[in-house]
Amino acid sequence: MQFLRQILPFLPLLLGLSEVLCDSWTDFTSLRREPPPPAPQTSRKSVIEGWIEQKLDHFNDSNNATYKMRFLANNQFYKPGGPIFIFVGGEWSISPGWVSGGHMYDMAKELNGYLFYTEHRFYGQSHPTSDLSFENLQYLNVNQALADLAHFIRVKKQEIPGASSSGVILVGASYSATMVTWFRQKYPELANGAWSSSAPLLAKTDFVEYYETVGESIKFVGGENCYNRIEKAFAEMERLVEIGDFETLSEKLNLCNKNQRNQLDLWYLFKSLSGSLAGTVQYHKEGTIERTCEIIMDDENDIDGFAKYVKSVMNGCLTTNFNTFVERYRNTSWDSEVGEGNRQWLFQTCNEFGWYQTSGSANQPFGSNFPVELSYQACQSIFSESFTKETIDNNVNTTNLHHNGMKPNITNVYSTHGHLDPWKRMGVQTDVNAESPAFVIPLASHCADLHSVSKDDSTEMLETKKRTTTLVKQWLDINSTLPKIF
């Protein structure tokens, strides 16, 4: 009963993590989602849904096909000539939260701004094609999405009364933060500045730094004993695999498949187990990592302590069959059971970004049993044999060549990262130049600075939010003095 009383306040978190393990392919599902939106500060009746016609292919004049892109708008604070604030949607379905609350909303309220939230092509309800076939997904890439955003800005500045000379501020989170950074690089004349929260800028296939940072964050917040227990638990699980004792492994972890002898299934299993802890770190709030470590440490035996955590976030047995996963992701219908946006995002990783979180580094506690080869195999099995290691590596190199990796050619971009966030390793953590500063927020996680100023903010979190507002005013040529930043 004591254990239940301790865990009850964290049941919403743990139930959320059960989605991570039940779907299992955590790199492309639970670690890929809209940042948890804020509680609305105004009636959501103020938020209006709209649609704008976009070209299917902005870079082929002979292709006249178009589609309807969805967006959300809130003009309750707008006065003619006021700035346009755009929260740029990423690999998710947009919702009213970011135009009815949060720090961007607060800035728009102060500055008489017009609020928009744009939806990325192929996500949410913005369906450019009849299905998600490999042939149709050729129109899903970041350059097409940036061109959609450019067209959106041009049209809205002409449509909104008094907005033809209005300044434009972009806000992005995670992948959409990557987008706003690259937008300032490609279309600087269309946006005065961009706030980029938790943006990965360097595309990389074997993203070993991700789990290095997950381990570092667990050790920093949860303690060295927790880190060591996880490391020993994974070592023991790998030992059981090596000696062929699948019965013991299945019993301890409550695996659906009691005979995990297939190499891809085993890689998939270890990727799933590590991914559950990655989600805990990536979306950490005060107490999250600590409570997870309490559960893991609540047993004298390493593997049994970790297994207790796994079972606490599971609904039923754990399914880790690679071929089942492949079959689900091969479904090309818009209402696929694989989940909204998951097939699309997996395609983008194969075609542009990589970012496969793997066990390729020895400097992390999750063993060595989910190498990058698993992700290469997923791309090829689900989409096309043309997705070989060589072509995927080349796709990633091309992305870095076109967008300049860690050295973007930008001005007026504020890049922020959470100190605990594993994605910070693919983003800029120091100032790009005098006009594009960066800041890593102590003890913060992924996209944690997007919410309104709060009494619970740390000193550094409060100062970075103030700095965001000050920079936005400077970009809009509104008098303001830059505050001290830690």
Side-chain angles (χ1 to χ4, degrees), residues 428-445:
V428 292
Q429 298 180 55
T430 57
D431 296 355
V432 177
N433 51 52
E435 295 174 301
S436 290
F439 185 60
V440 179
I441 308 163
L443 287 176
S445 58

Side-chain angles (χ1 to χ4, degrees), residues 365-438:
F366 304 103
S368 58
N369 261 331
F370 49 104
V372 70
E373 284 76 17
L374 177 63
S375 299
Y376 289 137
Q377 185 62 56
C379 292
Q380 190 169 76
S381 298
I382 292 168
F383 295 110
S384 169
E385 291 185 358
S386 64
F387 274 143
T388 64
K389 175 187 184 302
E390 290 71 23
T391 57
I392 295 170
D393 288 347
N394 184 64
N395 292 342
V396 167
N397 291 334
T398 299
T399 296
N400 289 327
L401 180 65
H402 287 172
H403 298 288
N404 299 317
M406 291 287 208
K407 296 181 179 180
N409 181 20
I410 53 174
T411 58
N412 293 6
V413 177
Y414 185 33
S415 301
T416 58
H417 291 278
H419 161 229
L420 302 177
D421 182 15
W423 286 100
K424 71 181 181 183
R425 300 286 290 276
M426 293 296 102
V428 292
Q429 298 180 55
T430 57
D431 296 355
V432 177
N433 51 52
E435 295 174 301
S436 290

Side-chain angles (χ1 to χ4, degrees), residues 126-188:
S126 299
H127 298 174
T129 54
S130 59
D131 62 23
L132 297 169
S133 66
F134 180 67
E135 292 72 23
N136 283 337
L137 289 175
Q138 68 176 298
Y139 301 108
L140 171 58
N141 59 68
V142 69
N143 287 327
Q144 295 284 3
L146 293 176
D148 285 342
L149 182 56
H151 178 66
F152 180 86
I153 292 172
R154 293 186 184 107
V155 169
K156 292 304 170 185
K157 289 192 72 171
Q158 293 303 312
E159 286 184 350
I160 299 171
S164 60
S165 59
S166 292
V168 176
I169 300 297
L170 304 179
V171 179
S174 195
Y175 163 55
S176 79
T178 307
M179 290 175 62
V180 303
T181 303
W182 290 349
F183 191 90
R184 272 291 299 168
Q185 184 171 241
K186 189 169 185 178
Y187 302 98

Side-chain angles (χ1 to χ4, degrees), residues 445-456:
S445 58
H446 195 57
C447 304
D449 56 333
L450 294 169
H451 293 261
S452 298
V453 170
S454 165
K455 63 180 177 58
D456 297 323

Side-chain angles (χ1 to χ4, degrees), residues 205-470:
T205 48
D206 199 358
F207 183 11
V208 300
E209 296 88 348
Y210 186 92
Y211 277 106
E212 290 178 347
T213 308
V214 171
E216 291 167 3
S217 296
I218 289 173
K219 184 183 292 186
F220 187 84
V221 178
E224 192 162 350
N225 288 339
C226 182
Y227 179 99
N228 292 341
R229 167 147 290 187
I230 293 166
E231 186 172 45
K232 290 175 183 177
F234 271 80
E236 175 63 11
M237 290 187 289
E238 289 187 337
R239 187 190 71 82
L240 291 173
V241 168
E242 187 175 346
I243 65 174
D245 190 356
F246 300 103
E247 183 176 347
T248 298
L249 184 68
S250 297
E251 179 182 345
K252 288 185 177 295
L253 295 175
N254 192 26
L255 303 183
C256 300
N257 182 353
K258 305 299 182 183
N259 192 17
Q260 295 273 359
R261 296 180 183 274
N262 179 282
Q263 182 66 78
L264 287 172
D265 288 349
L266 286 168
W267 285 350
Y268 191 46
L269 166 63
F270 281 96
K271 188 177 188 69
S272 302
L273 294 172
S274 61
S276 68
L277 288 166
T280 300
V281 171
Q282 183 167 312
Y283 296 106
H284 168 76
K285 293 182 178 179
E286 186 176 358
T288 306
I289 294 174
E290 296 94 328
R291 183 60 60 180
T292 296
C293 283
E294 283 186 27
I295 298 170
I296 291 172
M297 297 301 296
D298 190 34
D299 198 286
E300 293 182 2
N301 180 279
D302 295 318
I303 190 172
D304 289 340
F306 179 74
K308 181 176 288 187
Y309 159 74
V310 171
K311 291 173 183 177
S312 74
V313 297
M314 281 294 298
N315 291 321
C317 61
L318 172 58
T319 302
T320 57
N321 183 279
F322 180 76
N323 286 334
T324 299
F325 153 74
V326 167
E327 288 305 313
R328 290 179 65 208
Y329 272 64
R330 279 179 174 168
N331 190 326
T332 62
S333 65
W334 283 104
D335 58 353
S336 166
E337 67 170 10
V338 75
E340 190 278 319
N342 292 334
R343 175 176 165 86
Q344 298 95 297
W345 180 244
L346 177 55
F347 173 81
Q348 285 196 264
T349 67
C350 305
N351 196 49
E352 298 182 90
F353 306 126
W355 291 329
Y356 302 124
Q357 299 101 326
T358 74
S359 60
S361 169
N363 299 319
Q364 46 82 21
F366 304 103
S368 58
N369 261 331
F370 49 104
V372 70
E373 284 76 17
L374 177 63
S375 299
Y376 289 137
Q377 185 62 56
C379 292
Q380 190 169 76
S381 298
I382 292 168
F383 295 110
S384 169
E385 291 185 358
S386 64
F387 274 143
T388 64
K389 175 187 184 302
E390 290 71 23
T391 57
I392 295 170
D393 288 347
N394 184 64
N395 292 342
V396 167
N397 291 334
T398 299
T399 296
N400 289 327
L401 180 65
H402 287 172
H403 298 288
N404 299 317
M406 291 287 208
K407 296 181 179 180
N409 181 20
I410 53 174
T411 58
N412 293 6
V413 177
Y414 185 33
S415 301
T416 58
H417 291 278
H419 161 229
L420 302 177
D421 182 15
W423 286 100
K424 71 181 181 183
R425 300 286 290 276
M426 293 296 102
V428 292
Q429 298 180 55
T430 57
D431 296 355
V432 177
N433 51 52
E435 295 174 301
S436 290
F439 185 60
V440 179
I441 308 163
L443 287 176
S445 58
H446 195 57
C447 304
D449 56 333
L450 294 169
H451 293 261
S452 298
V453 170
S454 165
K455 63 180 177 58
D456 297 323
D457 286 343
S458 67
T459 301
E460 296 89 351
M461 179 66 79
L462 177 60
E463 290 301 323
T464 194
K465 289 177 181 179
K466 289 180 179 178
R467 192 183 198 195
T468 301
T469 303
T470 300

